[in-house]
Amino acid sequence: MARDVVDDRLIGALHLLALTRAGLHHDPAVEHTAFQAGTLDALMAGRFDGDATLGDLLEHGDLGIGTIQHLDGELAVLDGDAWVIAADGRVRPVPPETRTPFAVVCHFTPTARASVSEPLDLRALHRTLDDLAPANAPLLAVRVDGRFADLRLRSVHAQDPPYPPLSDVVEHQTEWAVPAATGTLLGFRFPDATAGVEVPGYHLHFLSDDRRVGGHVLDLTRVEGEVALDPGAELHIELPAHVGLGVPGAADRAEIARLEGGG
């Protein structure tokens, strides 16, 4: 069956392909391509119901981040398994039938690796990732395995309809500090021109090796470990019937930065 293509456009060097859910099912899973459900604009507007399931997305990737239905926590997909970190900090596995309004995954196939032997803070880590990444890679999937210190993490509470905008939810987010943890920092870097479709810049989540600690990364003071990067130039997006692609790059970057709050 042919893919149901809603839109197909080029933003700089990043190729965006928007699909219905049926189209996502027939979209081939390929290396160096990210697959996404929903858009950041829709999430910011309080559209916390999705129609794609995590099972749908996991057919297209084994590493990723996002959230789940009703905005019920921070999602981390690592080694093909999906975990969600709730607002109370608890980490639990997520069944594949769980729907998501916003998540992005890829089949992580790193082409660049490096060891971080000298401790780096979050900003220094971003610079290291930028230096390691190919200059012509608009999309970058990131995995850092190692030891971390002074993590500041956050998550959000599940919401009930009628849903408030994301800005109201973030006002009541929960944050916690983790003095030290061993685990994985994972996520993506997207170009500024995708603001509103995605989070521009770095968007990173953390998941500990023992699966007891995790969350959206707001800050950290030290990381030592192994860095792996998977560059790409394709982002395929599943759009629910009530969600449009919008105008990529037109979103309020200051508001996105305030909602993201850091890493």
Side-chain angles (χ1 to χ4, degrees), residues 20-238:
T20 65
R21 187 181 179 197
L24 181 67
H25 278 294
H26 295 91
D27 201 20
V30 294
E31 291 185 351
H32 314 305
T33 297
F35 293 81
Q36 180 171 306
T39 69
L40 180 64
D41 276 339
L43 201 71
M44 290 172 66
R47 293 174 176 168
F48 303 151
D49 289 321
D51 61 359
T53 68
L54 289 181
D56 295 334
L57 281 184
L58 290 178
E59 293 179 4
H60 296 283
D62 53 19
L63 179 143
I65 57 175
T67 187
I68 62 172
Q69 195 81 331
H70 311 305
L71 204 70
D72 190 12
E74 302 284 351
L75 176 70
V77 175
L78 187 60
D79 296 325
D81 295 322
W83 304 84
V84 70
I85 302 92
D88 61 4
R90 289 186 296 177
V91 181
R92 68 179 191 275
V94 188
E97 64 271 17
T98 304
R99 297 186 184 277
T100 174
F102 182 69
V104 58
V105 302
C106 71
H107 278 295
F108 191 67
T109 311
T111 63
R113 298 180 184 271
S115 295
V116 178
S117 56
E118 296 183 1
L120 301 175
D121 63 16
L122 189 57
R123 289 192 177 187
L125 175 62
H126 288 174
R127 292 193 295 269
T128 297
L129 297 175
D130 287 340
D131 291 342
L132 184 61
N136 61 347
L139 186 162
L140 195 65
V142 176
R143 176 170 178 161
V144 184
D145 294 285
R147 298 179 300 277
F148 300 83
D150 300 324
L151 288 150
R152 187 161 64 92
L153 306 173
R154 77 108 188 265
S155 188
V156 290
H157 293 276
Q159 303 296 305
D160 296 315
Y163 297 123
L166 184 60
S167 57
D168 290 354
V169 178
V170 170
E171 291 293 332
H172 304 286
Q173 70 184 22
T174 56
E175 301 180 15
W176 54 92
V178 180
T182 300
T184 302
L185 195 68
L186 65 147
F188 293 87
R189 185 197 71 184
F190 282 94
D192 182 73
T194 62
V197 173
E198 251 293 349
V199 177
Y202 286 99
H203 181 189
L204 302 171
H205 290 186
F206 177 76
L207 188 63
S208 65
D209 285 348
D210 61 9
R211 304 301 190 254
R212 299 182 65 182
V213 174
H216 173 98
V217 176
L218 298 172
D219 203 3
L220 57 85
T221 64
R222 190 173 76 249
V223 54
E224 299 174 76
E226 300 297 319
V227 174
L229 302 180
D230 181 2
E234 292 272 343
L235 176 62
H236 296 192
I237 308 169
E238 185 274 339

